[in-house]
């Protein structure tokens, strides 16, 4: 049985100590609206309920436990009893076979006998079960944290590569501008020799052709330049390009 809606859940808490107070606070924060506190001393149960003014918290004597359980969906036990106060025999006497009940025993020693687990309509959990759940959740969070750290490391490395590649922009822009200027000048010469009778459509085709050739020629040098991981190697490549193509990339290496 999985309780997904505490608002509609009828909750009983056996005991009125510090753990019960923390439990009430947590249940209210999760939307619980039907809470009943049972204790050997009714006054202590009422005192606990007063810590949550405005909340419809009922109080009962612990002697009414079986009556309250028949009207509850979820029962927490947190008393100082040294022997189990709930067992299979007691629950069988009051629970209908179709009546589902979840018991969570957070007391030490246990308030709920292990034999209640043999009842098909009852789910019971104790402190050891809760510890196992906490450990499982911690392991799951640990794995998620490791995955997050791995992703963060990858993204940091990728950002670092991108950041270090920014210094290539000036050289790449200079190279592209120079080659584009040459392309435009040579295209203009060619079109002027072809004369005015050369159709506009043909001019568009030739211009697209020359742009495509320039892009393909520049693609590999640009990719290889950006891909250089070693700073000195990358700068040597940029200096080589500037020298071979007579580029004016400024005083970035001074």
């Amino acid at each position: 049985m999985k309780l997904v809606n505490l608002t509609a859940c009828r909750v009983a808490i056996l005991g009125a100590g510090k753990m019960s107070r923390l439990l009430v606070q947590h249940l209210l924060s999760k939307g619980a609206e039907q809470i009943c506190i049972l204790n050997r001393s009714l006054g202590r149960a009422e005192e606990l309920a007063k810590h949550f003014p405005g909340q419809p918290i009922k109080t009962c004597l612990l002697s009414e436990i079986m009556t309250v359980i028949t009207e509850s969906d979820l029962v927490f036990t947190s008393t100082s009893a040294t022997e189990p106060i709930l067992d299979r025999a007691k629950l069988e006497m009051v629970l209908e076979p179709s009546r589902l009940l979840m018991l969570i025993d957070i007391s030490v020693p246990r308030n709920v006998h292990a034999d209640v687990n043999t009842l098909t309509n009852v789910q019971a959990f104790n402190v050891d079960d809760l510890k196992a759940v906490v450990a499982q959740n911690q392991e799951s969070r640990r794995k998620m944290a490791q995955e997050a750290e791995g992703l963060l490391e990858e993204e940091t490395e990728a950002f670092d590569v991108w950041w270090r590649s920014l210094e290539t922009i000036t050289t790449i822009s200079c190279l592209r501008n120079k080659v584009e200027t040459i392309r435009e000048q040579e295209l203009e010469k060619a079109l002027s020799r072809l004369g005015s009778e050369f159709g506009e459509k043909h001019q568009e085709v030739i211009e697209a052709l020359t742009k495509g050739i320039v892009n393909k020629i520049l693609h590999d040098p640009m990719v290889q330049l950006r891909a250089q991981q070693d700073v000195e190697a990358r700068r040597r490549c940029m200096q080589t390009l500037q020298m071979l193509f007579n580029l004016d990339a400024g005083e970035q290496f001074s």
Side-chain angles (χ1 to χ4, degrees):
M1 178 171 63
K2 185 177 182 181
L3 298 172
V4 295
N5 183 10
L6 281 177
T7 302
C9 183
R10 295 167 296 182
V11 184
I13 300 174
L14 312 185
K18 182 178 180 181
M19 288 298 296
S20 295
R21 180 177 175 178
L22 294 173
L23 184 57
V24 172
Q25 183 177 341
H26 179 73
L27 290 169
L28 291 173
S29 71
K30 295 299 181 181
E33 296 180 353
Q34 303 177 68
I35 299 175
C36 180
I37 302 172
L38 298 89
N39 197 61
R40 286 189 175 87
S41 165
L42 186 60
R44 191 170 181 185
E46 291 173 342
E47 183 181 346
L48 174 55
K50 288 179 182 178
H51 283 93
F52 305 94
Q55 299 295 337
I57 299 175
K58 294 174 57 179
T59 57
C60 295
L61 286 168
L62 195 59
S63 58
E64 301 176 67
I65 180 173
M66 302 317 296
T67 301
V68 173
I69 283 179
T70 61
E71 301 171 351
S72 301
D73 304 302
L74 175 60
V75 176
F76 290 89
T77 62
S78 180
T79 77
S80 58
T82 57
E83 297 290 335
I85 57 178
L86 290 176
D87 57 25
R88 178 189 174 107
K90 291 179 180 178
L91 292 176
E92 276 185 320
M93 290 176 60
V94 298
L95 289 181
E96 296 291 334
S98 59
R99 184 81 174 84
L100 299 178
L101 179 67
M102 180 180 288
L103 298 172
I104 300 180
D105 185 3
I106 59 175
S107 51
V108 179
R110 295 180 184 178
N111 287 171
V112 178
H113 198 284
D115 63 3
V116 301
N117 289 293
T118 60
L119 294 170
T120 57
N121 57 332
V122 174
Q123 276 189 311
F125 303 93
N126 55 43
V127 173
D128 291 335
D129 297 320
L130 298 178
K131 286 181 179 177
V133 172
V134 170
Q136 184 178 7
N137 289 340
Q138 287 179 333
E139 177 62 17
S140 176
R141 288 196 295 270
R142 187 186 66 80
K143 290 181 179 179
M144 291 176 64
Q146 285 181 332
E147 292 177 4
E149 287 175 0
L151 290 173
L152 180 60
E153 188 174 332
E154 289 177 9
E155 292 302 318
T156 301
E157 184 177 345
F159 175 80
D160 185 56
V161 170
W162 170 79
W163 178 260
R164 286 187 280 109
S165 71
L166 292 180
E167 68 174 342
T168 66
I169 290 177
T170 303
T171 299
I172 289 174
S173 296
C174 288
L175 177 60
R176 176 170 284 281
N177 289 339
K178 181 159 190 174
V179 175
E180 180 65 17
T181 299
I182 294 172
R183 183 194 70 81
E184 290 176 351
Q185 291 173 347
E186 294 304 312
L187 177 62
E188 185 177 352
K189 291 179 184 177
L191 292 177
S192 65
R193 288 198 297 271
L194 290 171
S196 58
E197 69 276 3
F198 197 68
E200 183 177 333
K201 183 65 177 178
H202 295 95
Q203 293 182 25
E204 292 177 359
V205 171
I206 293 177
E207 180 159 5
L209 173 65
T210 57
K211 283 185 176 181
I213 292 172
V214 166
N215 288 336
K216 287 185 180 298
I217 291 173
L218 293 179
H219 178 264
D220 284 343
M222 290 181 177
V223 169
Q224 292 300 320
L225 183 58
R226 292 194 185 101
Q228 292 293 327
Q229 300 293 313
D230 182 75
V231 175
E232 292 304 317
R234 184 169 58 249
R235 291 185 174 181
R236 285 196 297 272
C237 288
M238 287 190 290
Q239 288 175 323
T240 300
L241 278 176
Q242 291 175 32
M243 179 186 66
L244 292 176
F245 288 90
N246 193 26
L247 303 177
D248 182 11
E251 299 294 328
Q252 58 179 328
F253 297 110
S254 57

